[in-house]
Amino acid sequence: GNSVTQMEGPVTLSEEAFLTINCTYTATGYPSLFWYVQYPGEGLQLLLKATKADDKGSNKGFEATYRKETTSFHLEKGSVQVSDSAVYFCALSSGNTPLVFGKGTRLSVIA
Amino acid sequence: KAGVTQTPRYLIKTRGQQVTLSCSPISGHRSVSWYQQTPGQGLQFLFEYFSETQRNKGNFPGRFSGRQFSNSRSEMNVSTLELGDSALYLCASSLVSTGQETQYFGPGTRLLVL
């Protein structure tokens, strides 16, 4: 079945540091890949998505590239801010299957 | 456009009781999915409704049920509550029921079972 593995947190970075959160997946067919973010006390917000191989999703300075050959969708940001502190979830959906999420990575950015 | 709304936002119940949670999707969205989020199990899919029909169901006991109305609003019901049902219940809506559609999440209902 479909599954997502993302790096365990927590991740603590200083402001303006480079961020990478690794995500790899196993899926049948051609999945769509997503990154969602959850701020404290809130629901999930879509951060970015990619629907086919080599697509790059980007939003608010975050980027992720759909790599079919390595079955990966790593999240990157060149310079994090304190306001980026949140939990980040990698997810996939294939065909008519529901979203499958990774366990989440908690990011703390300190000034 | 208004986002996905969920009511109530917080709920405290005791073991054995039942609870009904409500979700109003984004206007025009016909698919509604429900997820349970706990620290131990993470985000787990409960079920999905599209045009008043259940399309997918996760691996949860029959105590968890749902329905969708003709205006796409959805409710989920949990009967005979157990302590382990304490969780954040998230509802998500999308235009249609396909894997490529983006799901938009509500703020969740936080349920505490005592």
Side-chain angles (χ1 to χ4, degrees), chain B residues 6-113:
Chain B
Q6 293 187 244
T7 55
R9 291 292 310 277
Y10 304 93
L11 209 46
I12 300 175
K13 292 286 188 180
T14 56
R15 276 181 302 175
Q17 288 187 307
Q18 74 162 15
V19 67
T20 299
L21 312 181
S22 180
C23 171
S24 292
I26 292 171
S27 177
H29 284 195
R30 294 166 60 194
S31 173
V32 173
S33 298
W34 290 89
Y35 297 84
Q36 181 196 65
Q37 185 179 24
T38 59
Q41 299 298 316
L43 281 152
Q44 296 186 91
F45 170 75
L46 280 156
F47 25 66
E48 180 203 358
Y49 287 88
F50 179 75
S51 293
E52 302 178 66
T53 301
Q54 189 178 86
R55 293 289 296 267
N56 276 305
K57 188 177 190 311
N59 190 25
F60 278 82
R63 299 185 297 107
F64 292 81
S65 63
R67 59 178 175 168
Q68 187 179 33
F69 302 95
S70 58
N71 62 357
S72 294
R73 190 177 70 85
S74 177
E75 289 181 346
M76 68 163 279
N77 183 278
V78 188
S79 62
T80 320
L81 283 165
E82 301 178 359
L83 295 179
D85 297 333
S86 295
L88 180 67
Y89 290 88
L90 293 164
C91 162
S93 77
S94 59
L95 273 171
V96 292
S97 176
T98 69
Q100 297 210 349
E101 282 292 323
T102 298
Q103 292 190 22
Y104 297 88
F105 284 79
T109 294
R110 189 166 295 281
L111 171 65
L112 177 61
V113 181

Side-chain angles (χ1 to χ4, degrees), chain A residues 36 38 44 46 49 93 95-96, chain B residues 37 56 97 99 102-103 105:
Chain A
Y36 282 87
Q38 186 174 36
L44 275 68
L46 177 69
K49 75 175 197 179
S93 184
N96 288 323
Chain B
Q37 185 179 24
N56 276 305
S97 176
T102 298
Q103 292 190 22
F105 284 79

Side-chain angles (χ1 to χ4, degrees), chain A residues 65-86:
Chain A
T65 301
Y66 189 140
R67 301 280 188 207
K68 190 166 182 289
E69 63 277 11
T70 54
T71 60
S72 64
F73 192 55
H74 305 321
L75 182 68
E76 296 182 335
K77 185 175 186 182
S79 176
V80 294
Q81 305 300 312
V82 171
S83 57
D84 294 326
S85 298

Side-chain angles (χ1 to χ4, degrees), chain A residues 5-91:
Chain A
T5 302
Q6 64 181 103
M7 61 187 285
E8 300 271 337
V11 174
T12 303
L13 296 173
S14 297
E15 213 167 19
E16 298 183 6
F18 184 85
L19 168 71
T20 300
I21 300 178
N22 290 336
C23 171
T24 57
Y25 67 89
T26 302
T28 54
Y30 302 96
S32 294
L33 302 173
F34 306 84
W35 277 101
Y36 282 87
V37 58
Q38 186 174 36
Y39 297 100
E42 298 184 13
L44 275 68
Q45 296 178 27
L46 177 69
L47 186 57
L48 52 84
K49 75 175 197 179
T51 58
K52 61 182 187 298
D54 300 324
D55 266 1
K56 177 187 280 189
S58 61
N59 186 26
K60 299 181 183 178
F62 291 89
E63 292 182 341
T65 301
Y66 189 140
R67 301 280 188 207
K68 190 166 182 289
E69 63 277 11
T70 54
T71 60
S72 64
F73 192 55
H74 305 321
L75 182 68
E76 296 182 335
K77 185 175 186 182
S79 176
V80 294
Q81 305 300 312
V82 171
S83 57
D84 294 326
S85 298
V87 181
Y88 292 81
F89 293 92
C90 184

